[in-house]
Amino acid sequence: MSKGIVLSVLASSLFGVMYYFTSLLWPLSGAEIFGWRMLLTLPCMTLFMCFSGDWRLVPVIVSRLRRQPRLCAVLVASSALVGVQLWLFLWAPLNGHSLDVSLGYFLLPLTMLLTGRVVYGEQLSHLQKIAAVLATLGVANEVYRVGGFSWTTLVVAIGYPLYFVLRKRAATDNLGGLWVDMLLLLPIAWWFVQSGEQGFDVVNQRQALYVLIPLLGGISALALISYILASRMLAFSLFGLLSYVEPVLLVIVALLLGESISAGQWLTYLPIWLAVLVLMFEGFKHLVRHRRSV
């Protein structure tokens, strides 16, 4: 569990770094950055899995595909779900949706809690119920203010729980499953890069991209590997609780990139931030109890 907690915080921190990193990759668009990220992440993941021994999981999935052809549709759906998330993460900072996406990540720990309760029958603690009530107040204000949430917020808050549930039910919630997800995204990634203004020649337009693009791939691979390893080491609810680090960093990045929180949005953000603080407090109590038991 302790390793899972460390990996989860590491992943959140790296995702925060990558969120800002996109602003350094001009003249690339969000779609092109997504394409480069996918093309470079898969080789990095493959090397890691060969050294860690996780590569053995890939032939297992291939073998299952021969016996269970319907698994192919599940893998395509899983790849599509994670692909949309990875694309949105890189598109949002360059298109004025940083705060909307960060709000989705603030809601994510709570939607993960609810998913754990509804799908897996996990019980909510007293503090988790308080956090859920606070988050509901924030959600109600946003619905009242604009009639709903931005589509980017909903994609994050709802899409990730669907992704993790699908992977668990298909028994592909491991690095082998993630590798297959990334593999299926390669044709789309290639098309995004090739269809850009300069295509693959964009690196000749700005020499710094020779360093920045491979660095993006390394950060992305390490973040995803840490995230998936943490997801299989921790209970679904605890894994959701530890997601609080990432949205805090994403809000900071959004503000650094020039976005701002309007007066009406504070009544949305403050209750949700209070909910996250409650979850942080519970996570701290959990760690203290674990240390004492050890």
Side-chain angles (χ1 to χ4, degrees):
M1 186 187 67
S2 297
K3 288 181 181 178
I5 291 170
V6 171
L7 286 168
S8 178
V9 173
L10 174 63
S12 295
S13 301
L14 289 171
F15 283 131
V17 170
M18 189 162 49
Y19 208 50
Y20 181 77
F21 198 80
T22 57
S23 66
L24 306 178
L25 294 173
W26 59 271
L28 296 177
S29 67
E32 289 175 285
I33 295 172
F34 166 80
W36 280 110
R37 179 186 179 186
M38 293 299 98
L39 293 177
L40 293 171
T41 297
L42 190 66
C44 293
M45 280 188 61
T46 304
L47 284 174
F48 173 83
M49 290 170 68
C50 288
F51 282 108
S52 67
D54 286 297
W55 180 254
R56 59 184 172 77
L57 299 169
V58 176
V60 171
I61 294 176
V62 173
S63 177
R64 287 182 58 201
L65 277 171
R66 292 178 187 149
R67 301 191 310 270
Q68 306 168 335
R70 285 183 297 180
L71 180 61
C72 182
V74 175
L75 291 174
V76 170
S78 173
S79 181
L81 283 170
V82 74
V84 168
Q85 297 293 346
L86 298 177
W87 165 79
L88 180 62
F89 190 84
L90 298 173
W91 175 87
L94 302 178
N95 292 274
H97 283 269
S98 296
L99 280 174
D100 290 336
V101 168
S102 68
L103 181 57
Y105 279 95
F106 269 114
L107 287 171
L108 182 56
L110 299 153
T111 55
M112 294 278 273
L113 277 177
L114 293 175
T115 302
R117 177 72 182 92
V118 173
V119 179
Y120 300 110
E122 297 177 357
Q123 297 299 315
L124 297 183
S125 68
H126 181 63
L127 287 176
Q128 289 171 356
K129 290 176 181 176
I130 292 175
V133 170
L134 287 169
T136 300
L137 292 175
V139 169
N141 178 72
E142 191 67 7
V143 171
Y144 172 77
R145 194 177 69 87
V146 296
F149 283 101
S150 162
W151 66 269
T152 51
T153 299
L154 294 175
V155 166
V156 173
I158 298 173
Y160 266 122
L162 288 175
Y163 174 63
F164 286 116
V165 168
L166 182 63
R167 281 166 55 89
K168 279 183 178 291
R169 291 197 168 178
T172 59
D173 53 333
N174 52 52
L175 284 178
L178 179 62
W179 188 89
V180 173
D181 285 343
M182 298 295 104
L183 179 68
L184 293 176
L185 288 171
L186 279 189
I188 297 173
W190 183 276
W191 182 79
F192 274 153
V193 174
Q194 184 60 43
S195 63
E197 239 180 82
Q198 303 293 327
F200 284 93
D201 291 332
V202 71
V203 292
N204 296 322
Q205 184 177 338
R206 185 181 171 216
Q207 298 298 309
L209 292 177
Y210 279 106
V211 175
L212 294 175
I213 289 176
L215 187 56
L216 171 72
I219 295 171
S220 171
L222 183 56
L224 282 172
I225 289 167
S226 301
Y227 197 60
I228 294 299
L229 289 176
S231 73
R232 71 188 190 188
M233 290 180 181
L234 300 170
F236 200 85
S237 294
L238 181 57
F239 178 56
L241 291 178
L242 289 169
S243 301
Y244 66 82
V245 175
E246 186 173 343
V248 172
L249 295 174
L250 298 190
V251 166
I252 293 172
V253 171
L255 296 177
L256 288 174
L257 293 176
E259 294 192 38
S260 60
I261 301 174
S262 66
Q265 285 179 304
W266 282 108
L267 289 177
T268 298
Y269 277 90
L270 286 176
I272 292 173
W273 288 348
L274 286 173
V276 172
L277 285 174
V278 171
L279 297 181
M280 288 171 62
F281 176 67
E282 181 177 66
F284 175 75
K285 285 176 61 180
H286 181 84
L287 288 175
V288 170
R289 284 198 302 269
H290 176 69
R291 281 189 175 184
R292 287 175 179 172
S293 64
V294 173

